[in-house]
Amino acid sequence: MNILIISGTPRKKGRTRKVAYTLSSRLPAEVIDLSDLTLPLFNGEGEQDRVSEVQWLRELSNEADAFIWLSPEYHNGMSGALKNALDFLNIDHFRHKPTLLMSVSGGGKGGINSINQMRLVGRGLHAMVVPDQLIFDPDSFKEDGAFTADIESRVTQVLREFTHYAGLLPTLGVRG
Ligand SMILES: Cc1cc2nc3c(=O)[nH]c(=O)nc-3n(C[C@H](O)[C@H](O)[C@H](O)COP(=O)(O)O)c2cc1C
């Protein structure tokens, strides 16, 4: 299974980015790191189709069987960087593809707003957004940045759920 993780933080030192790479080291997954990929601001003009970063994003999304969207919570929402990247894509990139939502927040009750926004955007893109979801907050990390035991067990649970959906689709004749 070809999983594509889209890391939605525009910050090179963002925690979201660290979570993305930690997950990718455990999965057969590739990361699109939006702190690294210099995408233009989507303007709908055909000339953007020739931008190599846009082509790469579309190519990897075409090839992916499933996605993890990972957004920081910024001002009670998903990051502009992630929404901008998704605006370059369309339903053909996401149809019949399980998509897992995760958010990294600053704490308190943060994270749920960006997840809910992503769920709505996922519907717009016809992604098969899986019911389970996960929020990381500062308490989810040890001093060295590693996941705490509590969040580790949630990560395992959520990934199991996600790969269950991804594995189910070929048997239903939906993909593959
Ligand atoms: C512009 C900006 C807005 C933010 N707004 C929120 C917020 O509304 N709620 C929250 O829980 N955390 C908020 N945070 C904290 C981030 O969620 C936190 O830094 C987290 O680690 C994810 O962002 P990062 O991957 O860029 O580090 C905000 C951070 C920035 C830079």
Side-chain angles (χ1 to χ4, degrees):
M1 194 199 330
N2 187 359
I3 299 170
L4 187 58
I5 300 174
I6 306 183
S7 171
T9 183
R11 300 194 316 123
K12 289 222 183 302
K13 291 182 180 162
R15 267 207 173 116
T16 307
R17 183 171 184 268
K18 289 185 189 135
V19 173
Y21 284 107
T22 303
L23 295 174
S24 79
S25 68
R26 298 172 185 196
L27 289 164
E30 191 154 0
V31 177
I32 288 193
D33 178 352
L34 296 179
S35 73
D36 200 34
L37 185 70
T38 321
L39 283 174
L41 194 61
F42 176 76
N43 67 8
E45 297 294 334
E47 67 201 27
Q48 290 191 327
D49 296 344
R50 293 191 291 277
V51 175
S52 60
E53 286 83 357
V54 172
Q55 289 176 346
W56 187 70
L57 171 71
R58 288 176 173 160
E59 202 176 299
L60 260 60
S61 300
N62 262 333
E63 288 165 3
D65 301 307
F67 289 84
I68 299 176
W69 294 358
L70 194 53
S71 179
E73 174 117 336
Y74 283 169
H75 302 319
N76 288 354
M78 65 193 286
S79 72
L82 178 58
K83 182 62 169 60
N84 184 56
L86 294 174
D87 286 343
F88 281 102
L89 302 173
N90 60 50
I91 60 175
D92 293 333
H93 296 107
F94 291 104
R95 191 188 288 114
H96 302 152
K97 297 184 182 178
T99 299
L100 177 63
L101 307 179
M102 295 187 179
S103 179
V104 184
S105 86
K109 300 270 188 255
I112 195 67
N113 296 300
S114 48
I115 293 247
N116 284 339
Q117 283 188 353
M118 286 192 280
R119 197 167 284 282
L120 194 61
V121 173
R123 166 69 185 84
L125 281 165
H126 287 209
M128 254 201 69
V129 183
V130 305
D132 210 354
Q133 57 194 29
L134 188 57
I135 294 169
F136 295 84
D137 60 32
D139 291 346
S140 308
F141 305 95
K142 297 190 217 167
E143 250 172 53
D144 63 1
F147 296 160
T148 62
D150 279 357
I151 203 79
E152 274 291 358
S153 79
R154 276 291 293 140
V155 167
T156 305
Q157 201 176 27
V158 164
L159 289 180
R160 195 175 295 139
E161 173 92 346
F162 172 54
T163 50
H164 168 78
Y165 281 103
L168 207 60
L169 293 178
T171 65
L172 295 173
V174 176
R175 273 179 69 76

